[in-house]
Amino acid sequence: MHHFAYRRGVSEANVLHAEEVDLCDLASSVGTPFYCYSTATLERHYRVFAEAFAARPDTLLCYSIKANSNLGVLSTLAKLGAGMDVVSEGELRRALKVGVPGDRIAFSGVGKTQAEMAHALEAGIYAFNVESEPELHALNEVAEAKGTTARIAFRVNPDVDAGTHHKISTGKAEDKFGVPFEQALSLYQKAVALPGVVPAGVHMHIGSQITELAPFQNAFALLTELVSTLRGAGLTIDFVNLGGGLGIPYRSDAPAPPLPTDYARLVNEALGHLDARLLFEPGRMIAGNAGILVARVLYVKTSPHKNFTIVDAAMNDLIRPTLYDAYHQVLPVTEAAPESFTRVTDVVGPVCETGDYLALARPLPELEAGDLIAVMTAGAYGAVQASQYNSRLLVPEVLVSGAEYCVTRPRPDYNDMLKAERLPDWQ
Ligand code: LLP
């Protein structure tokens, strides 16, 4: 459920609104392209997930910042009590900046530097998700030097198939993530012997956009088994971090992914009996449907072979279609009359790459230069993955709440772009 819907605009036509904000008006004042996020949708998704675990009040929801790290988005979630899952010092600084207490932050990632570890220790984070033995020793060294200890969970790789796109699957043995399941016990035993780390939990994240419960079920069974093995060996395991990964609906003609309540039921069945605090790291599920990318049609190019709708947003603004073959629904911002003519078209950007597209072979109402389109479900892994490829400016991000909006990240200008670089002295 999201809060982007057609409503009667100033003219006769129905216009797509973000909550109460008319997107034609917003495009006129902000310029295109831009990302637009809905506060009500973010809040709703967070609450739905949190309420699914209301029976376990110590549950810690660590929103996965990598999905959408806009400070307006983070602060919306922080105000609801969200913890955060971070993967870099930059993300950690963002979480702290919006007031997330250190003890609600988990730090993941296969390549944390010692400087990042030191910063996270100073922030007093809840736990590090450790992904290799060398990382364990590096963390132990940093903590010892600081005269402190780091609470850790090993991220365990269960070698299960998440049934998702291969580039966003993380829990197979061949993926770079986590420590092999069969090495876990011996690594925990090594960790216990180190003065700078306290192994206190277990962590798992098997992939993203998972649209069935079975992969989770398989992973949770292994995790439960691991907790008993570790406890049997005398270790204290007081939290279990189940990562993120729950999929969201990108298209209406595909089966709907499980609801958070279905996922929560599975979690409770599989792990409810464990006396352990549960942590989650949902990203896409919170932010995905809460954001859209609005672009303007520049040209419509028709040929005997194909039609191209060329818009002012491109793969550098939203790379998901070309990187993961991802489908994003494209809607005209001004609703087409029901009887209007439909044309099958590729929706492409100005970037000089054949892979620069937002949608392929899409039946769309006839669009003309100047019309606005909305690329839906772009709130997660959209703006965060944007680049300046082709020296295109990063697009602004706008947060809407009711009838209000704030440009939470303004569009830079070309001077900003050029000022960020310098020429060598010898030139
Ligand atoms: N925790 C860890 C350790 C992760 O690596 C991730 C995502 C999450 C949590 C959040 O997963 P989510 O709930 O959002 O599925 N750029 C890709 C997705 C990459 C996901 C990376 N890790 C995309 O656009 O589909």
Side-chain angles (χ1 to χ4, degrees):
M1 225 295 267
H2 61 70
H3 292 260
F4 297 97
Y6 287 108
R7 292 179 176 209
R8 182 54 59 92
V10 258
S11 66
E12 283 302 285
N14 285 340
V15 173
L16 195 64
H17 281 60
E19 302 189 21
E20 289 158 45
V21 175
D22 178 317
L23 288 169
C24 284
D25 294 346
L26 193 54
S28 305
S29 63
V30 176
T32 54
F34 65 94
Y35 275 96
C36 177
Y37 309 129
S38 150
T39 300
T41 313
L42 288 165
E43 289 177 344
R44 183 189 148 81
H45 290 171
Y46 179 83
R47 289 207 175 100
V48 164
F49 204 95
E51 280 160 19
F53 294 98
R56 301 180 71 113
D58 67 340
T59 298
L60 182 53
L61 282 196
C62 293
Y63 164 69
S64 197
I65 294 190
K66 64 175 83 66
N68 184 325
S69 60
N70 184 272
L71 289 179
V73 168
L74 299 186
S75 149
T76 302
L77 298 171
K79 285 190 174 34
L80 298 177
M84 306 247 159
D85 156 46
V86 304
V87 292
S88 68
E89 183 168 335
E91 288 191 350
L92 175 58
R93 285 177 184 266
R94 284 177 184 270
L96 297 172
K97 167 131 185 159
V98 297
V100 178
D103 65 2
R104 297 180 77 74
I105 296 175
F107 196 160
S108 312
V110 295
K112 305 173 195 78
T113 66
Q114 286 192 313
E116 288 179 314
M117 292 169 177
H119 191 74
L121 283 169
E122 281 154 27
I125 67 163
Y126 184 75
F128 291 82
N129 297 326
V130 174
E131 304 221 16
S132 65
E133 186 172 350
E135 183 194 335
L136 173 73
H137 292 292
L139 179 58
N140 175 58
E141 206 176 278
V142 177
E144 256 202 291
K146 285 187 156 304
T148 183
T149 53
R151 269 164 65 83
I152 68 153
F154 279 103
R155 174 174 178 174
V156 181
N157 183 323
D159 193 19
V160 299
D161 186 356
T164 186
H165 191 276
H166 69 279
K167 285 190 185 147
I168 52 175
S169 165
T170 54
K172 292 281 290 165
E174 67 257 30
D175 300 329
K176 70 175 178 179
F177 298 99
V179 301
F181 189 80
E182 57 284 1
Q183 288 176 16
L185 175 59
S186 101
L187 285 168
Y188 274 91
Q189 284 165 332
K190 284 181 186 164
V192 161
L194 298 175
V197 292
V198 179
V202 290
H203 175 239
M204 196 176 266
H205 170 80
I206 56 170
S208 196
Q209 186 54 14
I210 299 172
T211 53
E212 283 172 5
L213 287 178
F216 289 117
Q217 193 168 14
N218 297 338
F220 294 167
L222 287 165
L223 204 59
T224 316
E225 182 191 314
L226 178 63
V227 172
S228 342
T229 308
L230 296 175
R231 285 180 173 164
L235 285 135
T236 305
I237 298 297
D238 54 41
F239 74 91
V240 175
N241 183 340
L242 298 174
L246 190 57
I248 60 170
Y250 280 93
R251 52 195 302 167
S252 49
D253 57 354
L259 296 170
T261 42
D262 302 326
Y263 173 80
R265 197 171 315 115
L266 174 69
V267 169
N268 286 327
E269 276 163 23
L271 300 132
H273 61 284
L274 288 180
D275 179 20
R277 182 179 199 190
L278 296 183
L279 267 72
F280 297 93
E281 299 170 343
R284 190 189 309 268
M285 197 260 133
I286 307 280
N289 272 320
I292 62 173
L293 173 63
V294 178
R296 201 176 282 283
V297 176
L298 295 173
Y299 306 104
V300 175
K301 180 156 86 169
T302 53
S303 81
H305 312 286
K306 238 177 155 181
N307 301 312
F308 297 98
T309 303
I310 303 163
V311 300
D312 59 3
M315 65 185 286
N316 69 298
D317 305 311
L318 180 66
I319 202 169
R320 301 196 70 258
T322 195
L323 191 56
Y324 313 112
D325 307 310
Y327 176 101
H328 286 262
Q329 190 184 13
V330 174
L331 292 177
V333 169
T334 302
E335 194 176 35
E339 69 284 2
S340 65
F341 179 75
T342 297
R343 192 200 327 249
V344 174
T345 179
D346 285 5
V347 180
V348 302
V351 162
C352 299
E353 296 258 358
T354 305
D356 175 27
Y357 51 81
L358 300 173
L360 294 179
R362 202 60 71 79
L364 284 179
E366 211 165 0
L367 291 162
E368 290 174 7
D371 287 347
L372 293 168
I373 59 155
V375 183
M376 306 303 289
T377 321
Y381 307 109
V384 283
Q385 297 200 119
S387 77
Q388 294 186 13
Y389 184 41
N390 277 201
S391 286
R392 289 167 51 82
L393 296 174
L394 289 180
V395 307
E397 293 175 274
V398 181
L399 182 64
V400 164
S401 176
E404 290 184 281
Y405 73 86
C406 168
V407 182
T408 52
R409 191 184 68 187
R411 193 186 306 277
D413 65 25
Y414 288 106
N415 281 331
D416 298 329
M417 178 187 277
L418 297 176
K419 265 196 322 226
E421 292 172 39
R422 65 185 62 167
L423 294 174
D425 289 345
W426 64 85
Q427 284 182 358

